[in-house]
Amino acid sequence: MTLKRKLLNGLAWSLGDKLVNQLGYLAVTIFIARHIGPESFGFIGMLTIFILLADSVVNNGFTQALVQRSDSLTEDDASTIFYTNFAWGVGMYILMYISAPLIADFFREPILVDISRVLFFVVIINSLAVVVRAKLTIDINFRSQAVTGTFATLFSSILAIWLVFKGYGYWALVWLILSKSILQTIGLWFFCRWLPKLVFNMQSFNSLFKFGSNLMIAGIVATLVNNLYVAVIGRFYSAQQVGYFTQANNLSSYLMKFIVSSLQGVTYPVMTSIKDDRTRLVNVYKKLISATMLVSLPILVGLAAIADDFVLVFLGADWLPAVPVLIALCIARSITPISAINMNILNAIGRSDLFLRVDLFKLPITLLGLYLALPYGIVGVAWATVSISFVSFFINAYYPGKIFGFGAGKQIIVASKYFFSSVVMYCSVILINFEGLILGLIAKLMLGVIVYFLMLFVLRDRFVKNVLSELLGHK
């Protein structure tokens, strides 16, 4: 199979996986949120940052380290990393179990002790899946990951919905997260058909940790940068306010991650396989930016345009205070996909040291933005993320510009037609009112799609033309 066909096949399965696994999962959390309300939803939001931080430590960047070494990966490497991840997963769970009362005291919510001690078990489960997921990714085997994700999402969703109707409240969300992780881990092991050897190779550990440790620290910093807002809001405001912010953050983030992870999950192993061919690597890099912005901008800007109707239809009137937060976060996430690509290519060429340096540089900027915005409530915090996201883009684009000659200015030029078309689409949608909430929402969606692609046709976007030619089989 040629590289191009392998890439397209992997992308198709990855998109299918994310469509069910991420957007389907998001739909279930929206359903749960509608029934349990903002306060109960906020309890889980308060604990999210601790799970993500623990996962950053447990993963240690080893997934990317294993993929980056795909051409020379040994069984000793894989087995060593498996035992390392499992040991750290158990260690992190014990630490967080002991710390549960302190976490509850920080948020002034005693109920979090019991919730956290059950929910944090997901860290151990996730630690068991790192190596098998990396092995499937190296083989660009996204079909197995798609099947596994679909199965896990479907059955965990059924369980969670049943618990909602039985009146278990926030425990439905806890078991949604846990059961999905358990089923997904089992499925990945089934398809990978790999068993670790009884060996721990210090040379393998030191070599992979040298690359992965930078990503571990960068992952911790990035987790703080992206989730510190929720933790601080939980400390200074109510669980209800955390619920509003968490839901808005989930809606915008899941859409962004759906696009970015689908494209990057496939292109990362491809880029690592051609990392020594700089011309091909940069060509893939440029096309990835165009493809990502072509899809991500209209989706995120479009969600901002229909935020009021969307929240009323899917979450209900109790969630309307989340609308201004959702609008701001959608705008903030619109530039994030390019930033993610810029960081991803540094890993592909083995420069995790630069990845870490960039993330460390962004941390004080985030802390300053949060400090200035906190007195203005959750809406002020949301708009602070907009400013930070755009500043972060220029920081993230610095090293790609220096190494590949394709920095922020050239990237903005590549994405300019998509930005302009999205702005026109946004203005068209918000200026028109339709009778009937559901019909109006559908009409706005259709109008947005038509206006966006009509503008790209008028602007004669070359990338869209090439994609259409490929799909239609034109030479």
Side-chain angles (χ1 to χ4, degrees):
M1 186 182 291
T2 64
L3 179 64
K4 182 178 180 180
R5 182 166 292 279
K6 200 171 185 180
L7 175 62
L8 291 175
N9 183 64
L11 179 59
W13 278 108
S14 181
L15 283 171
D17 175 27
K18 299 302 185 297
L19 187 64
V20 175
N21 195 25
Q22 291 188 5
L23 296 188
Y25 182 77
L26 176 62
V28 175
T29 60
I30 290 173
F31 173 84
I32 294 173
R34 184 184 183 99
H35 285 80
I36 68 176
E39 183 179 34
S40 293
F41 197 83
F43 292 145
I44 310 303
M46 290 174 174
L47 300 174
T48 300
I49 187 172
F50 299 100
I51 296 175
L52 295 175
L53 283 172
D55 274 339
S56 296
V57 175
V58 170
N59 182 54
N60 285 286
F62 281 140
T63 299
Q64 290 169 301
L66 291 170
V67 174
Q68 207 274 338
R69 189 185 278 194
S70 58
D71 54 350
S72 60
L73 185 67
T74 67
E75 282 300 302
D76 281 7
D77 293 336
S79 298
T80 298
I81 297 310
F82 170 77
Y83 293 122
T84 300
N85 281 332
F86 180 66
W88 281 349
V90 173
M92 288 302 301
Y93 175 75
I94 292 172
L95 177 62
M96 292 192 297
Y97 185 95
I98 296 171
S99 302
L102 297 177
I103 294 172
D105 288 342
F106 176 81
F107 290 116
R108 296 187 291 271
E109 294 287 353
I111 199 171
L112 292 179
V113 174
D114 292 335
I115 297 175
S116 61
R117 284 177 169 170
V118 175
L119 184 60
F120 289 161
F121 191 71
V122 76
V123 175
I124 297 178
I125 300 167
N126 290 342
S127 72
L128 296 171
V130 171
V131 175
V132 287
R133 187 185 296 279
K135 279 182 163 289
L136 291 172
T137 300
I138 289 171
D139 294 335
I140 315 184
N141 184 356
F142 290 92
R143 178 180 179 274
S144 297
Q145 295 185 55
V147 172
T148 297
T150 301
F151 175 83
T153 300
L154 176 63
F155 283 92
S156 62
S157 298
I158 292 172
L159 172 62
I161 292 171
W162 179 79
L163 290 172
V164 166
F165 286 126
K166 287 294 183 179
Y168 283 90
Y170 51 77
W171 285 110
L173 195 54
V174 171
W175 283 104
L176 172 68
I177 296 169
L178 272 175
S179 60
K180 181 175 181 291
S181 181
I182 292 169
L183 292 171
Q184 197 158 27
T185 298
I186 293 172
L188 291 172
W189 276 89
F190 173 79
F191 282 110
C192 187
R193 301 298 176 94
W194 172 81
L195 290 175
K197 295 168 57 178
L198 294 175
V199 61
F200 187 92
N201 189 312
M202 282 303 300
Q203 184 177 356
S204 294
F205 174 81
N206 291 333
S207 177
L208 288 164
F209 187 73
K210 183 178 180 181
F211 179 89
S213 60
N214 287 325
L215 294 181
M216 175 188 71
I217 300 171
I220 293 171
V221 173
T223 300
L224 285 172
V225 168
N226 295 326
N227 298 278
L228 193 59
Y229 303 101
V230 175
V232 174
I233 290 170
R235 171 62 178 172
F236 292 99
Y237 297 101
S238 65
Q240 188 176 49
Q241 295 293 301
V242 176
Y244 293 140
F245 194 94
T246 301
Q247 187 61 267
N249 185 58
N250 285 349
L251 288 170
S252 59
S253 293
Y254 268 96
L255 288 175
M256 183 269 294
K257 289 176 182 177
F258 165 68
I259 300 157
V260 172
S261 61
S262 296
L263 290 169
Q264 289 187 203
V266 176
T267 56
Y268 181 65
V270 172
M271 286 194 292
T272 58
S273 68
I274 59 173
K275 58 180 180 290
D276 296 324
D277 187 341
R278 194 56 59 95
T279 301
R280 293 182 71 192
L281 179 62
V282 173
N283 188 44
V284 170
Y285 173 42
K286 291 180 179 180
K287 288 182 178 179
L288 181 56
I289 287 180
S290 293
T292 303
M293 299 311 288
L294 168 68
V295 178
S296 65
L297 272 171
I299 291 178
L300 288 163
V301 174
L303 179 58
I306 62 169
D308 289 82
D309 293 341
F310 184 91
V311 169
L312 278 172
V313 170
F314 293 103
L315 288 167
D318 289 345
W319 286 90
L320 279 176
V323 169
V325 178
L326 177 58
I327 293 172
L329 293 182
C330 283
I331 295 172
R333 303 285 184 255
S334 66
I335 197 69
T336 302
I338 300 185
S339 293
I341 293 168
N342 285 324
M343 299 296 280
N344 204 42
I345 198 169
L346 296 179
N347 287 336
I349 62 174
R351 295 305 305 271
S352 61
D353 58 323
L354 298 182
F355 189 105
L356 172 59
R357 191 179 302 174
V358 169
D359 268 345
L360 286 174
F361 191 78
K362 290 184 293 188
L363 182 57
I365 296 174
T366 301
L367 292 173
L368 176 62
L370 180 58
Y371 174 77
L372 295 175
L374 198 56
Y376 301 97
I378 59 174
V379 177
V381 171
W383 280 105
T385 66
V386 176
S387 301
I388 293 167
S389 292
F390 281 84
V391 171
S392 296
F393 161 68
F394 288 95
I395 297 173
N396 292 339
Y398 174 74
Y399 284 114
K402 191 174 181 179
I403 297 171
F404 304 108
F406 193 66
K410 292 182 179 179
Q411 292 175 25
I412 290 174
I413 292 173
V414 167
S416 59
K417 292 179 181 179
Y418 311 127
F419 277 115
F420 183 76
S421 299
S422 297
V423 170
V424 174
M425 175 196 69
Y426 180 87
C427 294
S428 301
V429 171
I430 65 171
L431 290 175
I432 297 177
N433 292 317
F434 296 92
E435 292 186 7
L437 194 58
I438 297 177
L439 290 177
L441 181 60
I442 295 172
K444 287 181 178 181
L445 286 170
M446 295 177 62
L447 174 65
V449 171
I450 293 170
V451 170
Y452 179 72
F453 284 102
L454 181 62
M455 286 304 305
L456 290 179
F457 176 77
V458 171
L459 295 172
R460 299 173 182 263
D461 182 68
R462 183 179 300 177
F463 180 77
V464 173
K465 181 180 178 181
N466 291 339
V467 170
L468 289 175
S469 296
E470 287 282 345
L471 292 175
L472 296 174
H474 294 167
K475 302 293 183 182

